[in-house]
Amino acid sequence: MTDAPETVPFFRTDNYAPVTDELTDFDLQVEGSIPTELSGWYLRNGPNPRKATAHWFTGDGMIHGVRLENGRAAWYRNRWVRTESFDDPFPVYNADGTRNLHSSVANTHVINHAGKTLALVESSLPYEITNDLQTVGAYDFGGKLVDSMTAHPKICPTTGELHFFGYGNIFAPHVTYHRADANGELTINRPVDVPALTMMHDFALTAQYVIFMDLPIVFNLDIAIKGGEADMPYWWDDNYGARLGALRRDDPFGEIRWFDIDPCYVFHVANAYDVGSSIVLQAVRYP
């Protein structure tokens, strides 16, 4: 008898397959023309596992970047985000339920704010990278952030403020809302009262409100501590309910108004805006 061949998941094949090499190339060939006014870096991030992995979410983050300047594609680079757990992995959750926020795959998003470029994953602190995509290290806003950072922060186009939240604490508060000013100074940390630790992947921002989504995908500590890499420690809970919370931006420590909705889950928000006394939230809803 022989062992059955491994069933390779779709995210490790064809165009989804990991990139094995870190490359640098200069003066890229351009079809057509690049406007000379367009100057900067185009960056993307995503899971790029160095070895076989059973879940898409667990691959190491890799940043791909193209530098545009003076009508040229000056260079292309791709680099793994070399977090503190890159070479010698250690878990996010310890046996006592505490977290190590430096354990990170930094594989979900990359943003620039106040001169800092940050690679993000929602379980951990952000990791700062240079303009050449080299990893600087974990970034905690000068010691003021003692929480994880969502991979989907929002930058206000009017004020330049960075709005984000962290979730993942076993013990209350499970969620904390954060705000940094246009200079990158962390100015607001306030708890968001939710009854349990849910997977709060995204949120929304309008001109007047921050909107939180308290939805019934709930954390399981036993799976987090002893489960394999294919076992996501969040499971649907029929009894948890679902609601949206609205917090006024001009009263960040005020009351969050909660509105019950039909049970569902939302990974990503497409848009949100104010219309008179109403808020419109556009998102991908999973029933």
Side-chain angles (χ1 to χ4, degrees):
M1 296 180 64
T2 60
D3 293 333
E6 178 191 12
T7 300
V8 180
F10 76 93
F11 58 83
R12 283 168 39 204
T13 63
D14 301 323
N15 272 352
Y16 292 104
V19 175
T20 58
D21 299 316
E22 293 178 310
L23 306 173
T24 303
D25 200 5
F26 297 96
D27 293 318
L28 310 180
Q29 182 178 345
V30 175
E31 295 183 7
S33 61
I34 299 173
T36 57
E37 299 85 357
L38 192 60
S39 181
W41 292 264
Y42 175 76
L43 304 180
R44 67 167 294 273
N45 191 4
N48 191 73
R50 292 171 290 158
K51 59 182 180 179
T53 179
H55 201 289
W56 206 354
F57 290 178
T58 60
D60 303 289
M62 175 176 276
I63 309 291
H64 299 255
V66 175
R67 170 66 182 174
L68 305 179
E69 56 186 23
N70 301 320
R72 300 166 48 240
W75 54 249
Y76 163 83
R77 285 180 171 86
N78 64 307
R79 298 289 186 272
W80 273 291
V81 186
R82 284 176 159 76
T83 67
E84 293 174 38
S85 56
F86 183 81
D87 290 319
D88 297 304
F90 50 91
V92 173
Y93 286 97
N94 302 312
D96 61 358
T98 59
R99 289 188 296 166
N100 192 321
L101 297 174
H102 292 248
S103 176
S104 173
V105 286
N107 68 3
T108 312
H109 194 18
V110 56
I111 64 159
N112 182 276
H113 181 258
K116 301 286 185 183
T117 302
L118 304 176
L120 306 174
V121 66
E122 64 204 66
S123 61
S124 314
L125 287 169
Y127 268 79
E128 183 183 356
I129 61 173
T130 68
N131 291 341
D132 292 333
L133 312 189
Q134 302 301 317
T135 305
V136 177
Y139 184 71
D140 61 4
F141 293 84
K144 293 183 177 181
L145 181 62
V146 292
D147 196 5
S148 60
M149 180 176 179
T150 176
H152 295 296
K154 317 298 180 189
I155 299 175
C156 176
T158 303
T159 66
E161 294 170 322
L162 180 70
H163 296 253
F164 62 99
F165 67 91
Y167 82 95
N169 284 321
I170 303 296
F171 312 103
H174 304 297
V175 179
T176 304
Y177 165 60
H178 307 282
R179 188 187 303 182
D181 64 21
N183 297 316
E185 185 74 18
L186 193 61
T187 59
I188 292 173
N189 301 291
R190 69 146 290 174
V192 177
D193 186 18
V194 295
L197 175 50
T198 64
M199 186 178 180
M200 194 177 289
H201 182 71
D202 200 356
F203 75 130
L205 185 72
T206 74
Q208 298 183 61
Y209 291 93
V210 182
I211 301 101
F212 302 100
M213 300 182 293
D214 185 21
L215 305 176
I217 299 291
V218 181
F219 181 78
N220 184 303
L221 180 59
D222 289 337
I223 295 175
I225 292 175
K226 66 184 180 182
E229 62 177 9
D231 297 320
M232 292 299 293
Y234 289 87
W235 291 77
W236 180 272
D237 185 342
D238 280 325
N239 300 314
Y240 188 80
R243 58 182 187 161
L244 304 176
L247 172 67
R248 291 194 62 90
R249 287 177 53 177
D250 60 3
D251 187 17
F253 293 96
E255 177 188 5
I256 298 176
R257 294 183 63 196
W258 292 100
F259 301 87
D260 292 334
I261 61 173
D262 290 338
C264 66
Y265 189 71
V266 173
F267 271 109
H268 296 121
V269 169
N271 195 17
Y273 54 93
D274 306 308
V275 179
S277 60
S278 298
I279 300 169
V280 177
L281 174 64
Q282 298 172 331
V284 181
R285 180 184 185 276
Y286 296 87

